[in-house]
Amino acid sequence: MKRIAVIGSSGGNLYNLGGKDPDKLMGEIAAQCASAGVEISGVQFIAASESMDTAKETTSAILYEWSSEDNRLLKRFEGALREVNQAASEMDIQTAGLIQSGQIDGLIVMSADPETANRMTIEAAAERKIPVVGTGGTSMALISSKGANVIATSGTTGTTNRTRAVSFITSLCKHWGMKFIPVLGSPGTAKLPSSGKPWRRINLKGIMQSSLPGFIAMAIVLALSQIPALKGLSEVFDVMLKALPVVLAVIAAKQISDLDEVSIVAGVIAGALSINGGIIGGIIGGIGAGLLVQFLFVKCVQWKFPMTTVNIVAGGFAGLISGLIMYYLIAPFALQAGEFIKYIINIAISFNPIVAGVIGGLLIWPAILGGVYHAAILPIVLLEMEKTGNSFLGAIDMVGLVMVSAGITLANIIAPRDKGEAAVAAPGFLINMGFGTFVEAAYPFMFSNKWVFAGAICSAGVGGGIVGVFNVRGTAYVPSFMGPFLSNNVIGFMISMAVALLLSLAVTLVANKAARSRKQMAEQSVSAQQSA
């Protein structure tokens, strides 16, 4: 196993690009080292409370060292920068000794001080000819002039903690002839290999769910624009409508490549050029950008491009290539695909909205229990909301799921089967009413009583039918008292919500009463047998 040491400081420009957060900076390096099978044998890192470009000798600073047991940074000394530099000189001697004794095989340098705080380490590295990689234009130039074996160097502009870490370990592993697969994902979470089959990281359900706040924000703006004094917000709604593909593209690009700002930039560029394709175009453009970001980033690092250039190529070119393909080739077809789906839904609703509502209501609980909801219904809801800001299926979601769950939990607060169930039901009811989510709160009661389960489905069907009667378009995932005001029919939505809640409440109360009666009869029977 190869062993490395990391030396340096929070730097000047580096301070604003991740240097002021040493734990995250080293966490990214540690994640890549773990993937490569490289051990971190030592760290000497000075973190100042401000950029080194403006820091003074009296500026507060912290000297960090590395704990191999805990695999994290530890504070070694804290004080004024002048005092921290003196303490760092003592660590410098120790690190130099490790290099001279052959216990360090490579060196990562970030905004180091080769003249004082890191002088002994740099001299030892130059003498042993171990590979040195790093960032910081001035310091790396000085290190090279001292005869160090610098195999990769770059400025810090345009880099991130993650891109620097991948670049460092890629260069070192290539020098040593070791195979290295960069990992994606935040340190401490499950890592995803950056090569092999990257399309496996494509998760349409995840993209849709993550983008939901953008659609809800759009629905709120639409509702506010209906107020006479706020008519001007209709223009804001139009702007937000065009921004939705960008939101989805950014989420898709970051989901696949997860290279921090580089992924975001690529997603924004691709999304901006995918606007004409609607939300389907934004998703496709973002996926293409994410795949290209990863590919171009790894290739540019292997070709030993400076890190600033690597980020420019990976973020800029990936977004541009994917976006231009969308703009000229795919966007019209993506837009038509989305329009076709909405057309089919509108035909079904227009044919008989009541029947459509009943069917939607009856199927929505089996859909969420079977895992189909987030994969099929939620995307359709978002497609409907793309143009109008609300949705027929969104209204059924609120009525058939949220209100029915609220009714079931309320019944178990009022008259539970067992006294302990009220405490379980109360949080679920409050969350459903206050936030329009957490329909899962009804699961324990539905699964333990077939009549409650059947009542939930029937209540959802009836509520869906009333949604059809009033031809309501609405949304879930908002507080229940806000739901009607974000719909196209305030009164109709209120009636639909109230009927679904009260019906599920009544069915559950009856089912609970029957369950309590059976329990009492069973207890009396057991007591009579014992008496006999």
Side-chain angles (χ1 to χ4, degrees), residues 348-349 351-367 377 392-393 396-397 400 456-469:
I349 296 171
F351 178 73
N352 193 319
I354 299 175
V355 172
V358 170
I359 293 174
L362 291 174
L363 294 179
I364 199 157
W365 274 107
I377 295 179
F392 184 79
L393 284 177
I396 291 179
D397 186 338
I457 294 176
C458 291
S459 300
V462 173
I466 299 175
V467 167
V469 169

Side-chain angles (χ1 to χ4, degrees), residues 227-261:
I227 301 173
L230 300 175
K231 283 291 184 182
L233 285 175
S234 59
E235 296 179 2
V236 176
F237 174 78
D238 293 337
V239 173
M240 294 183 68
L241 190 61
K242 294 178 181 179
L244 288 178
V246 181
V247 172
L248 287 154
V250 170
I251 292 170
K254 193 172 188 306
Q255 178 193 86
I256 293 169
S257 61
D258 204 9
L259 285 169
D260 295 329
E261 289 86 345

Side-chain angles (χ1 to χ4, degrees), residues 207 211 215 218 238-253 266-287 326 331 335 386-387:
I207 295 171
S211 66
F215 287 84
M218 186 180 69
D238 293 337
V239 173
M240 294 183 68
L241 190 61
K242 294 178 181 179
L244 288 178
V246 181
V247 172
L248 287 154
V250 170
I251 292 170
V268 169
I269 296 172
L273 292 171
S274 303
I275 288 175
N276 293 336
I279 65 174
I280 293 179
I283 292 172
I284 297 173
I287 289 172
M326 284 299 306
L335 181 62
E386 180 185 12
K387 292 297 182 185

Side-chain angles (χ1 to χ4, degrees), residues 300-326:
C300 288
V301 170
Q302 292 174 347
W303 294 334
K304 296 187 177 180
F305 283 16
M307 276 309 301
T308 300
T309 305
V310 171
N311 284 13
I312 291 172
V313 171
F317 282 26
L320 190 59
I321 293 169
S322 178
L324 288 174
I325 292 173
M326 284 299 306

Side-chain angles (χ1 to χ4, degrees), residues 56-88:
K56 303 177 181 61
E57 289 189 345
T58 55
T59 299
S60 60
I62 301 173
L63 176 63
Y64 287 95
E65 62 182 353
W66 187 250
S67 170
S68 298
E69 294 181 359
D70 300 327
N71 205 39
R72 65 183 181 88
L73 289 175
L74 295 177
K75 291 182 182 180
R76 175 157 174 164
F77 184 82
E78 186 172 358
L81 183 58
R82 178 182 62 254
E83 300 168 337
V84 169
N85 281 331
Q86 292 173 354

Side-chain angles (χ1 to χ4, degrees), residues 108-421:
I108 292 178
V109 180
M110 291 175 289
S111 299
D113 179 8
E115 299 294 342
T116 53
N118 304 116
R119 181 175 63 84
M120 299 294 291
T121 298
I122 298 303
E123 289 178 355
E127 180 182 340
R128 296 281 300 183
K129 295 298 180 183
I130 65 172
V132 178
V133 297
T135 60
T138 303
S139 64
M140 292 306 296
L142 288 171
I143 290 170
S144 296
S145 69
K146 292 180 177 293
N149 180 24
V150 178
I151 62 171
T153 182
S154 172
T156 54
T157 302
T159 65
T160 67
N161 287 333
R162 185 163 303 161
T163 59
R164 284 192 299 272
V166 172
S167 175
F168 293 153
I169 305 304
T170 298
S171 298
L172 288 171
C173 287
K174 187 174 182 180
H175 177 81
W176 290 323
M178 296 170 55
K179 182 179 180 180
F180 168 57
I181 299 177
V183 293
L184 304 177
S186 301
T189 63
K191 305 298 190 303
L192 295 170
S194 69
S195 62
K197 297 180 179 178
W199 55 86
R200 288 185 175 178
R201 291 191 294 276
I202 299 172
N203 184 341
L204 295 177
K205 182 171 72 173
I207 295 171
M208 289 291 189
Q209 287 179 295
S210 298
S211 66
L212 189 59
F215 287 84
I216 298 300
M218 186 180 69
I220 292 172
V221 170
L222 177 64
L224 292 175
S225 69
Q226 305 304 309
I227 301 173
L230 300 175
K231 283 291 184 182
L233 285 175
S234 59
E235 296 179 2
V236 176
F237 174 78
D238 293 337
V239 173
M240 294 183 68
L241 190 61
K242 294 178 181 179
L244 288 178
V246 181
V247 172
L248 287 154
V250 170
I251 292 170
K254 193 172 188 306
Q255 178 193 86
I256 293 169
S257 61
D258 204 9
L259 285 169
D260 295 329
E261 289 86 345
V262 180
S263 307
I264 294 172
V265 169
V268 169
I269 296 172
L273 292 171
S274 303
I275 288 175
N276 293 336
I279 65 174
I280 293 179
I283 292 172
I284 297 173
I287 289 172
L291 294 171
L292 283 171
V293 163
Q294 178 186 307
F295 174 78
L296 292 175
F297 181 85
V298 173
K299 286 298 181 185
C300 288
V301 170
Q302 292 174 347
W303 294 334
K304 296 187 177 180
F305 283 16
M307 276 309 301
T308 300
T309 305
V310 171
N311 284 13
I312 291 172
V313 171
F317 282 26
L320 190 59
I321 293 169
S322 178
L324 288 174
I325 292 173
M326 284 299 306
Y327 188 84
Y328 286 109
L329 298 177
I330 303 177
F333 300 102
L335 181 62
Q336 288 304 313
E339 292 296 334
F340 179 73
I341 293 172
K342 286 179 280 187
Y343 176 72
I344 295 297
I345 294 170
N346 288 330
I347 285 180
I349 296 171
S350 300
F351 178 73
N352 193 319
I354 299 175
V355 172
V358 170
I359 293 174
L362 291 174
L363 294 179
I364 199 157
W365 274 107
I368 195 169
L369 292 170
V372 178
Y373 173 84
H374 294 98
I377 295 179
L378 181 59
I380 294 173
V381 169
L382 299 187
L383 278 169
E384 285 190 89
M385 291 181 68
E386 180 185 12
K387 292 297 182 185
T388 61
N390 44 44
S391 159
F392 184 79
L393 284 177
I396 291 179
D397 186 338
M398 172 63 88
V399 171
L401 291 179
V402 179
M403 288 297 99
V404 169
S405 178
I408 292 171
T409 50
L410 179 60
N412 282 280
I413 295 172
I414 297 172
R417 289 175 303 175
D418 298 307
K419 294 181 180 180
E421 290 185 340

